[in-house]
Amino acid sequence: MADLVLDYALLHDLAGSIRTLRGQVETDIAVASSRSVAGSRGEVDSAAVGDGTLFAALSAFYSTCHKPFKDSMDRLKELSELLDSVAKAFFDVDADFASKVKTGRLQAQVGQWQAQQQAWDQYQRIKDKVVTYQYHDSRGVLQTATIPLWGADRPPPAKPGAAPTSLAGPGGGTKTDAKVDANGRLISETSTVTTANGLTYKETTTYTYVDRNGDGKPEVVDYTTAITHSDGTAEEIARTTKPDNSYVVTSRTKEGVTTTSVTPGAHGGYSSVTTTPKGETTTVTVVANPDGTGTKTEVGPKGTDVYTGKPATGQWTLKSHKDPYDELPITMGGA
C-alpha cells in the first residue's frame, strides 16, 4: 500500500488563491446578483432600457440569477475555509512532531555538554594533584615520591563552551531555543515552525523540578506547555504531580478544559480518568505483569474496549469491544 502524501503548503496557497478570487469578483457578483436590472453605473429603471417587455425579461433574469450568484460566493468562502483548515490541521501535526524531534536533539546536546563540563571540572580538580607514597631504595633508605593524578602524557579534555541553547532546522524553518539553569537543566524551551507561505506553529514548555529527598537530584519533573496553532488558536497543557506520585494533566482549549487524573500501578501499570468539556468520562485501566505483558481496559462514551499487549512500549491489540447499549441493564415493565 502506497504512503499518502498531503502537501499542506499547496492547500494553504490554494485556499489563499480562492479567497483572492472571491475578493476580486465579489463586487461585480454583488451587482449582477441583485434583484434589480444593473448597468455600468448601478441600478437602472425601465426608462433606461426603453422597452417594457425587455426590461421585464431582464428583471426576471437578474432575479433568477440572484440566488445562484450569492450561493457561488458562499461556496467559494466555504471551500477556502475547508482547504485552509485541512492544511493547518496537517501542518500542526507535522509541526508538533518536528518540534519534539528538535527538542529531543537539543536535550541530547545539553546532555552531551553536561558530560563534557563534568569531565572538564574533574580535570581542573585533579590536574595539579599528586599521590605521595614512600618506599625503600636498593640501599634500604626510605624515600618519598609522588605520582600525578593526571599524567603529563595524558591530554586534557576539551574545554566546553557555553551550554547549547538553540537549534535551527534546515533553512531556518524549525528553530528550538532553550534556557538552561546553573546545573545544566532545561528551564524552558520554545520551538517555532514556519513555512515559506506563512504557516506558523509555536510551542513553549516550562519545566518544574522537585527534589523530594534533598539529594540534589529531582525525582519529579512537571511542565506547562503553551501552544499557538497555525489558525491562531491557543492551547495549554500542564502536568502536576502529587506527593503520592499520582498526577493530573490539564488541557485548556477554546472548547474548554479536559482533565486526566493518572494513578500509577505495579510494574508500570496505571489507571486514569479523563473528563472532557462536554462532561464525558473515559476510564483506562492498565494491568502490567512482571513479564512485560499486560491488559488495557478502556471504558468511555463509545463503549468498552479490551486490549492485550506490552504496556512499556504501548503496543496493544484489540481483543473485544462492547457498544454502550450492550452494557445497559434491561428493565422489564408490566401492567
Side-chain angles (χ1 to χ4, degrees), residues 108-145:
Q109 288 188 4
V110 171
Q112 184 179 14
W113 173 85
Q114 289 174 324
Q116 293 173 343
Q117 185 66 47
Q118 290 172 358
W120 176 257
D121 292 343
Q122 176 69 1
Y123 167 72
Q124 293 297 316
R125 284 192 295 268
I126 68 174
K127 65 177 182 176
D128 297 323
K129 293 183 179 182
V130 296
V131 175
T132 302
Y133 67 96
Q134 293 181 320
Y135 67 98
H136 289 87
D137 63 15
S138 58
R139 295 175 298 170
V141 178
L142 183 64
Q143 302 287 345
T144 300

Side-chain angles (χ1 to χ4, degrees), residues 44-119:
V44 299
D45 55 19
S46 58
V49 175
D51 185 299
T53 302
L54 177 60
F55 180 78
L58 289 173
S59 296
F61 170 78
Y62 275 89
S63 180
T64 302
C65 291
H66 172 75
K67 190 175 188 306
F69 277 129
K70 183 178 182 301
D71 287 347
S72 68
M73 291 293 96
D74 293 340
R75 297 297 176 268
L76 282 176
K77 180 180 179 182
E78 292 171 1
L79 179 59
S80 66
E81 291 175 348
L82 173 62
L83 293 176
D84 214 20
S85 65
V86 172
K88 289 176 178 178
F90 275 84
F91 167 72
D92 282 359
V93 172
D94 220 9
D96 178 60
F97 178 76
S99 66
K100 285 178 171 54
V101 170
K102 292 296 181 185
T103 295
R105 288 183 58 198
L106 182 57
Q107 289 174 336
Q109 288 188 4
V110 171
Q112 184 179 14
W113 173 85
Q114 289 174 324
Q116 293 173 343
Q117 185 66 47
Q118 290 172 358

Side-chain angles (χ1 to χ4, degrees), residues 157-177:
K159 182 179 180 180
T165 59
S166 181
L167 181 66
T174 304
K175 184 178 180 181
T176 299
D177 297 300

Side-chain angles (χ1 to χ4, degrees), residues 277-295:
K278 295 181 179 180
E280 296 176 336
T281 299
T282 300
T283 62
V284 177
T285 302
V286 173
V287 177
N289 303 317
D291 64 356
T293 63
T295 59

Side-chain angles (χ1 to χ4, degrees), residues 10 44 90 112 122 125 134 139 143 148 184 203 213 216 219 237-238 240 259 263 269 272 285 291 299 311 320 325 333:
L10 182 60
V44 299
F90 275 84
Q112 184 179 14
Q122 176 69 1
R125 284 192 295 268
Q134 293 181 320
R139 295 175 298 170
Q143 302 287 345
E203 182 175 305
N213 58 17
E219 289 76 39
I237 304 171
T240 304
T259 302
T263 302
S272 68
T285 302
D291 64 356
V299 182
S320 66
Y325 52 79

Side-chain angles (χ1 to χ4, degrees), residues 275-327:
T275 304
T276 69
K278 295 181 179 180
E280 296 176 336
T281 299
T282 300
T283 62
V284 177
T285 302
V286 173
V287 177
N289 303 317
D291 64 356
T293 63
T295 59
K296 179 173 73 170
T297 303
E298 184 173 329
V299 182
K302 296 182 180 180
T304 300
D305 293 320
V306 178
Y307 302 82
T308 58
K310 299 179 179 179
T313 60
Q315 295 175 304
W316 298 105
T317 300
L318 180 64
K319 290 300 182 181
S320 66
H321 170 78
K322 289 184 179 180
D323 289 326
Y325 52 79
D326 291 336
E327 302 170 2

